[in-house]
Amino acid sequence: MKQLPRTAWGAALCCLLLLPLQGHADGSVIDKIYHPYVNQLEWELEWRAVQQRDDPASGEARHQTHKLGLGRAVGEYVFAEIYLIGEASADRSLQLQAWEAEVLWQMSEQGEYLLDYGLLFELEKARDDDIWEYATTLLLERELGRFSATANLGLVYEWGDDIADELETTAALQARYRHSPLLEPALELYLGEDTRALGPVLLGMTRIGERRALRWEAGVVWGLDHTTSDYSFRALLEYEF
């Protein structure tokens, strides 16, 4: 079995060492968990949403975040996507709040090393405020028979005139059982400055034509401490063509 290159082990170790750092981040990190793979010559239309039962930071009884994205593979190992981000709460209808651009770089062939790995780069800008957010996330995955383990280890920096500069580390972990393409149960763990959450998620994919597929994810994640929402629903619908 081949060994993971020293550069990848170094990046993984750096992210793991950064996880205990304290920052002043102000949001939940519950979201999609990324896999370090790029499908060549593919377009993708994606909608995903997270609804929190309550938001400890603001005291709101309900908070929703929606993302609508369009992406395309721009190379053999690079995928780029842009998002519109909207938010809603118990007393406010859905409004456009920000835009985001992201690039996923697949850095190893699937099964080439002990771990498959890649990097995700994200840049977000608030619509009406001078608030920017940049994130670099190390994506790691290992297949063990029908089981698959995925880790997203991130470093996030926020800055701008309307926010205090702040640094945050995040981790999102997923253990998945590949029962069938249509149904893959998983367990997810999220760790961040204001987030400690764990819960089950169901994933699936169905082919609907040549080079076309529909992917979906749905789950509920429970907060493990007083700074995390009691529970959060997350959902994703993705059309690949």
Side-chain angles (χ1 to χ4, degrees), residues 68-103:
L68 181 64
L70 178 65
R72 188 181 191 279
V74 295
E76 188 175 0
Y77 300 109
V78 178
F79 189 87
E81 193 157 8
I82 55 174
Y83 288 94
L84 297 177
I85 302 174
E87 295 183 357
S89 62
D91 56 1
R92 185 181 63 192
S93 60
L94 182 65
Q95 297 178 358
L96 179 64
Q97 296 292 327
W99 61 265
E100 179 180 274
E102 70 177 34
V103 174

Side-chain angles (χ1 to χ4, degrees), residues 132-161:
W132 293 79
E133 179 179 291
Y134 173 75
T136 299
T137 305
L138 176 64
L139 313 178
L140 301 172
E141 186 153 326
R142 175 71 190 276
E143 293 188 1
L144 301 167
R146 287 201 165 198
F147 291 91
S148 179
T150 306
N152 291 185
L153 308 176
L155 185 63
V156 183
Y157 179 63
E158 292 182 328
W159 77 96
D161 292 340

Side-chain angles (χ1 to χ4, degrees), residues 5-239:
R6 292 182 180 179
T7 54
W9 279 119
L13 181 59
C14 287
C15 284
L16 289 171
L17 290 174
L18 284 170
L19 288 178
L21 287 176
Q22 295 300 310
H24 303 283
D26 53 4
S28 170
V29 300
I30 298 170
D31 201 352
K32 169 184 175 179
I33 291 182
Y34 287 79
H35 304 277
Y37 310 116
V38 171
N39 293 326
Q40 300 176 29
L41 305 177
E42 178 187 273
W43 284 86
E44 174 185 291
L45 181 63
E46 177 187 275
W47 166 82
R48 65 185 196 247
V50 176
Q51 177 174 297
Q52 297 172 273
R53 176 61 181 85
D54 66 82
D55 186 347
S58 66
E60 293 179 344
R62 186 179 71 252
H63 183 268
Q64 299 178 25
T65 301
H66 296 261
K67 291 187 176 183
L68 181 64
L70 178 65
R72 188 181 191 279
V74 295
E76 188 175 0
Y77 300 109
V78 178
F79 189 87
E81 193 157 8
I82 55 174
Y83 288 94
L84 297 177
I85 302 174
E87 295 183 357
S89 62
D91 56 1
R92 185 181 63 192
S93 60
L94 182 65
Q95 297 178 358
L96 179 64
Q97 296 292 327
W99 61 265
E100 179 180 274
E102 70 177 34
V103 174
L104 191 156
W105 178 20
Q106 179 179 338
M107 301 178 67
S108 69
E109 296 287 352
Q110 189 168 5
E112 182 180 6
Y113 301 110
L114 179 64
L115 296 175
D116 301 329
Y117 65 102
L119 286 173
L120 178 70
F121 307 96
E122 300 169 282
L123 179 65
E124 180 181 323
K125 170 65 172 64
R127 177 190 176 191
D128 298 323
D129 300 308
D130 185 24
I131 300 176
W132 293 79
E133 179 179 291
Y134 173 75
T136 299
T137 305
L138 176 64
L139 313 178
L140 301 172
E141 186 153 326
R142 175 71 190 276
E143 293 188 1
L144 301 167
R146 287 201 165 198
F147 291 91
S148 179
T150 306
N152 291 185
L153 308 176
L155 185 63
V156 183
Y157 179 63
E158 292 182 328
W159 77 96
D161 292 340
D162 297 319
I163 192 173
D165 295 357
E166 53 190 9
L167 186 67
E168 178 190 8
T169 55
T170 66
L173 311 176
Q174 181 190 85
R176 176 168 48 110
Y177 177 66
R178 292 175 296 146
H179 175 264
S180 69
L182 191 60
L183 183 62
E184 297 182 340
L187 184 66
E188 296 181 347
L189 173 67
Y190 295 90
L191 303 172
E193 178 62 22
D194 297 321
T195 306
R196 298 287 188 276
L198 175 72
V201 176
L202 293 177
L203 307 89
M205 182 273 290
T206 182
R207 298 287 180 185
I208 54 177
E210 185 178 358
R211 300 189 64 84
R212 291 185 294 165
L214 192 64
R215 298 182 184 272
W216 59 272
E217 300 179 9
V220 57
V221 183
W222 287 280
L224 301 178
D225 62 10
H226 68 279
T227 64
T228 309
S229 298
D230 292 341
Y231 56 87
S232 301
F233 296 101
R234 86 167 189 85
L236 176 148
L237 189 62
E238 183 179 283
Y239 174 54

